[in-house]
Amino acid sequence: RFVLLLDGREIARGPNRGLRNRWHYQSYRVRSLAPGAHRLEAVVWQVGEYAPLAQVSVRGGFVLKASGAYDAALTTGTADWRIGRLVNTRMTHKGESRAFGVGSQCEVTGTSLLDEVPSDWRRAVTVRGPVTYFAGLLAPGWMLFPSPLRDQLHETKAPGRVRRGPDVLKAGTVIPARSRAVVFWDLENYYCAYPELDVSGGAGAEIRWDWAECLTGPDGKKGDRAAFEGLDMMRPFGDVFRCDGRASARFTTPWWRCGKWCRLTVTTRDEPLTLDRVAIAETRYPVELAATFECDDPLVMRMQPLCARALQMCLHEMFFDCPYYEQQMYPGDSRVQYLVAGLFDTEGRAVRNAITLFDADRRENGLIPMNCPTRGTQDALGFTECAAMMLGDYAWQHTNVDWLKARLPGLNHTLMGLATYEDADGLLGRTPGWNFIDWVPEWYTQSKEGGVPPDGNEARPNGEINLQYLHAIRSAILAEEAVGERELVAYWRAKERRLAAAIRRTFWCPARCLFASDVAQTKFSEHAQCLALLADVVTGDEAARCFAALATADDLARGTIYYKHYLYATYFKFGRADLFFGNLGFWKDCLDWNLATVLETPKTTSRSDCHGWGSHPLWHLHTGVAGVRSAAPGYAKVLVAPQPGHLTFIRSSTPTPRGPVKLDLRFDA
C-alpha cells in the first residue's frame, strides 16, 4: 500500500483493494502549484501475514506514471527516485484480541511512518520493467485496471467526550513524569478511523491506544453500549506508541481501527509527556444517505440513522460484513448491502466494483468464492447463487448497460457450473463447499459449521438451496432482457419453468400449504416460503394460503437479521405492511441498548456490534412502505404503490439513477 505526499501534504492513499489479476491504480491531477522546487514522496509498505485477510499482494513495489512534460522527471523506472527504509513501525500479533482478519496490531517508536525520515537513501531499482504486449503474451505479476471507486474519506475530527481520566481532547494535556493515566474516550458514535496522536517530550513513555465496540464487565458480557461505570475493555484491539523525547512527534498506524470506545493508557518515565493533539481520521467510502423518509412512527424515525451508519461503516474499498472482526466481502451480505447503498449513491461505483471482483475471482467451474478478495478463501454454493442474483438487481436498479453486458459471460458460466450438480429432475443435489444459507439455530444439527439447512450436506436435494438457484436463474433472465439477448432469455426461461416445477413436485406440502426444506417434508422454514413466494412457484389461491401459513405457523425455522430482508420483501409483495411494522423489534432493541449501528445477531451479546446486512429496513421503507420501485430495466419506468400501514403521512425522497422520486402523502380515509 502507499500514501502519496506532495510537499508533506497527503494527496492519496491506495491502491484500492483488489485481486492479483485485477490490481487497481488511481489517477490524480495536481493543480495550482507555485513555481519552484517541490518534493514528491511515497510511503510504501507490504506487511505480509500481518495484513488484513482481504489485502492480497504479489510483492512489494511502487509505480508512478506521470503524463505529458513530467514523464521523464517523475515516472518510476525513468526518473531518479531514491528510497530509504522505514524502521519505526513494527507489526505485532493480535495477542488476546478476538478480532481476526483485520490485520495485526503495531508498535511505533519515535514517530510514525508518515513522518519518519530514513537514515540513508539509495537509488531505487526496477523490479519489473514496462509490460510489452506482444503476440497476446501476458507478463506475470500485477494486472492493472483503473479503480472504479472514488477515494476513501479521510477526515480528522475529535468526536464525543472523555468519560474517565484526564481530558486528553484538550490540547496540551500534560501527563506527569513517573505516572500512569488511563483515559476512556466515548466517541458517541461508531467510527472507522486512523488514530492520530501528536506528543512532545516524555522520553521512554508508552501510549497504548485500544479500540472496542463497547465496554464490558469481567465476564465479557455486553449490555448497554452507553454504560461505562465499573466497565472496561476486556479483550481490546490496538497499538502501542513509544516516545523518544522529541518535540511534535506524530503517531498513527498503517491501517485503520474501529469501534465506539477508545482507551488510552499512558505510562511515563522520568520526563512528563505533553499530548499536543488527540484525534481520529475517519475513513470510509465517501457517501451520505441521499434518501429521506419522514412519517409519524417514532421507531421508524429513530432506526434510520442506526441503519445508515451500519451501512457506511461496512462500505470502504469494498463491502464488509463487519469492520471490527473480518472486513470480508461475502456475496450474501453484499447483495443486501448494495441494494441499500443505492439510497446513498446512484452512481453505483461501489456496486460495480463488488460485482466485478466476484466475477474476476470466478473459478474454472463457474463458482464464486464465499469471500473475496481474501487470502483465506471459502467455498459456499449458496453464496455463489447470491452473487448471481446481484446481476438481475443491477439490471433494474442501474443504467450502465455496457458494463452489465461485460459481466454476463461470467453469469452464464456460473449458472452453467451450477447446472453440473443437477440431478435428473434438474434439482441441485450434493454440492461442494459449505452449503451455508443462514445462521438458523435449528440448523446447527445439520453440520458442524452451522448455517446449513436440512439435507444441505446430503446427496438429496434441499429446498432452500434449490430455491436460491431458481432466483439466480431469474436474475439471468432480467439481466439478459436488459441487454436484449432474446435467445438466452428463452433458454433461461425454459430452465426456470423446469426447475420451478421440480421444486413444486418435491417440496410443496399441500396438507400444510408450505414448502419443505427436505425431501421427506418434515422440516419447514421461513426461508423456503419467502423464496418460493417471491419466485411465484405457487400463484393465486395457493400463494395466498402459503403466505397465510408463513405468517401464522409456529414451527418454522426463523430467518435471522440477514434473511429478514427476504421476509420483508414477501410481506410487501402480499400487501402486509402491518407485518413489517410489527417485526421491527430487533432494531428497537438496538436502540434500547444504545447502539450506534446494527448488531450481527439479535442478542445483546452479539459478536459484532456493526453488521451491514442489518441496514435493509432502509430499503424496505422506500421500496415497500413508500412503494417506489423500478418497473423496467435501468429504472426506465417507476412504480409508486405505497403501503403505509398505520402511518398517517409519508414525506420521502428516493434517489434513482434518473433523479429522485419525491412523495408527500397523507392518509385520512
Side-chain angles (χ1 to χ4, degrees), residues 387-525:
M389 292 182 209
M390 296 169 77
L391 271 300
D393 297 332
Y394 186 90
W396 279 58
Q397 301 296 327
H398 298 277
T399 57
N400 193 328
V401 176
D402 289 339
W403 176 88
L404 176 63
K405 188 177 295 185
R407 301 281 80 75
L408 293 186
L411 175 60
N412 288 302
H413 180 205
T414 292
L415 293 178
M416 294 294 186
L418 290 174
T420 63
Y421 298 98
E422 290 179 357
D423 63 15
D425 293 322
L427 295 170
L428 298 181
R430 185 186 297 277
T431 51
W434 180 21
N435 291 310
F436 177 87
I437 295 292
D438 187 17
W439 291 116
V440 176
E442 297 94 321
W443 291 354
Y444 273 87
T445 59
Q446 309 302 318
S447 72
K448 61 182 179 181
E449 302 100 335
V452 178
D455 287 351
N457 281 340
E458 306 299 328
R460 297 181 296 275
N462 158 265
E464 288 81 6
I465 290 172
N466 278 283
L467 282 160
Q468 283 198 172
Y469 184 30
L470 180 62
H471 278 265
I473 291 172
R474 288 167 64 90
S475 174
I477 295 169
L478 295 176
E480 299 289 4
E481 278 183 332
V483 302
E485 290 285 358
R486 295 180 181 176
E487 292 83 359
L488 285 170
V489 169
Y491 173 83
W492 291 119
R493 282 203 187 281
K495 188 93 169 174
E496 175 197 26
R497 289 192 292 270
R498 180 170 184 257
L499 178 59
I503 288 173
R504 180 186 167 88
R505 285 196 308 272
T506 307
F507 299 107
W508 175 244
C509 178
R512 298 202 59 187
C513 295
L514 290 170
F515 285 87
S517 300
D518 57 336
V519 173
Q521 298 189 359
T522 61
K523 297 180 174 65
F524 301 85
S525 70

Side-chain angles (χ1 to χ4, degrees), residues 291-475:
T292 61
F293 186 96
E294 298 178 58
C295 68
D296 55 330
D297 186 320
L299 174 58
V300 169
M301 296 303 295
R302 290 176 61 217
M303 65 187 264
Q304 291 181 72
L306 188 84
C307 296
R309 192 63 176 173
L311 190 282
Q312 285 179 318
M313 295 298 96
C314 294
L315 178 53
H316 294 258
E317 296 162 53
M318 55 193 213
F319 290 102
F320 291 152
D321 62 328
C322 58
Y324 192 83
Y325 288 97
E326 297 182 47
Q327 297 175 14
Q328 300 275 279
M329 184 164 69
Y330 297 90
D333 304 56
S334 297
R335 188 202 178 203
V336 174
Q337 289 171 273
Y338 101 64
L339 290 172
V340 183
L343 301 174
F344 290 72
D345 174 27
T346 58
E347 287 182 312
R349 292 172 182 250
V351 171
R352 289 194 296 275
N353 183 59
I355 298 174
T356 299
L357 288 175
F358 288 136
D359 186 29
D361 213 24
R362 176 170 31 88
R363 308 283 172 68
E364 77 288 343
N365 63 359
L367 300 190
I368 307 294
M370 187 179 190
N371 49 346
C372 158
T374 186
R375 301 197 311 276
T377 300
Q378 293 173 275
D379 282 327
L381 183 136
F383 273 23
T384 287
E385 294 169 330
C386 291
M389 292 182 209
M390 296 169 77
L391 271 300
D393 297 332
Y394 186 90
W396 279 58
Q397 301 296 327
H398 298 277
T399 57
N400 193 328
V401 176
D402 289 339
W403 176 88
L404 176 63
K405 188 177 295 185
R407 301 281 80 75
L408 293 186
L411 175 60
N412 288 302
H413 180 205
T414 292
L415 293 178
M416 294 294 186
L418 290 174
T420 63
Y421 298 98
E422 290 179 357
D423 63 15
D425 293 322
L427 295 170
L428 298 181
R430 185 186 297 277
T431 51
W434 180 21
N435 291 310
F436 177 87
I437 295 292
D438 187 17
W439 291 116
V440 176
E442 297 94 321
W443 291 354
Y444 273 87
T445 59
Q446 309 302 318
S447 72
K448 61 182 179 181
E449 302 100 335
V452 178
D455 287 351
N457 281 340
E458 306 299 328
R460 297 181 296 275
N462 158 265
E464 288 81 6
I465 290 172
N466 278 283
L467 282 160
Q468 283 198 172
Y469 184 30
L470 180 62
H471 278 265
I473 291 172
R474 288 167 64 90
S475 174

Side-chain angles (χ1 to χ4, degrees), residues 436-633:
F436 177 87
I437 295 292
D438 187 17
W439 291 116
V440 176
E442 297 94 321
W443 291 354
Y444 273 87
T445 59
Q446 309 302 318
S447 72
K448 61 182 179 181
E449 302 100 335
V452 178
D455 287 351
N457 281 340
E458 306 299 328
R460 297 181 296 275
N462 158 265
E464 288 81 6
I465 290 172
N466 278 283
L467 282 160
Q468 283 198 172
Y469 184 30
L470 180 62
H471 278 265
I473 291 172
R474 288 167 64 90
S475 174
I477 295 169
L478 295 176
E480 299 289 4
E481 278 183 332
V483 302
E485 290 285 358
R486 295 180 181 176
E487 292 83 359
L488 285 170
V489 169
Y491 173 83
W492 291 119
R493 282 203 187 281
K495 188 93 169 174
E496 175 197 26
R497 289 192 292 270
R498 180 170 184 257
L499 178 59
I503 288 173
R504 180 186 167 88
R505 285 196 308 272
T506 307
F507 299 107
W508 175 244
C509 178
R512 298 202 59 187
C513 295
L514 290 170
F515 285 87
S517 300
D518 57 336
V519 173
Q521 298 189 359
T522 61
K523 297 180 174 65
F524 301 85
S525 70
E526 284 184 335
H527 310 66
Q529 317 321 312
C530 294
L531 293 169
L533 290 169
L534 290 171
D536 298 315
V537 180
V538 287
T539 57
D541 183 60
E542 283 185 325
R545 287 186 284 127
C546 181
F547 180 81
L550 165 66
T552 58
D554 59 6
D555 63 340
L556 301 183
R558 304 294 173 186
T560 67
I561 299 152
Y562 162 44
Y563 238 83
K564 284 187 183 295
H565 166 71
Y566 299 94
L567 179 66
Y568 295 166
T570 309
Y571 286 164
F572 286 113
K573 177 170 183 172
F574 285 83
R576 293 298 302 273
D578 58 310
L579 295 178
F580 167 75
F581 287 114
N583 201 262
L584 297 177
F586 161 72
W587 288 269
K588 181 179 184 302
D589 289 341
C590 288
L591 291 164
D592 291 344
W593 297 331
N594 287 306
L595 279 128
T597 48
V598 184
L599 292 171
E600 178 180 11
T601 60
K603 297 180 181 178
T604 185
T605 55
S606 170
R607 179 193 66 150
S608 168
D609 274 14
C610 181
H611 230 71
W613 64 25
S615 59
H616 59 72
L618 286 176
W619 169 257
H620 294 293
L621 287 175
H622 287 270
T623 62
V625 180
V628 177
R629 301 184 182 204
S630 173

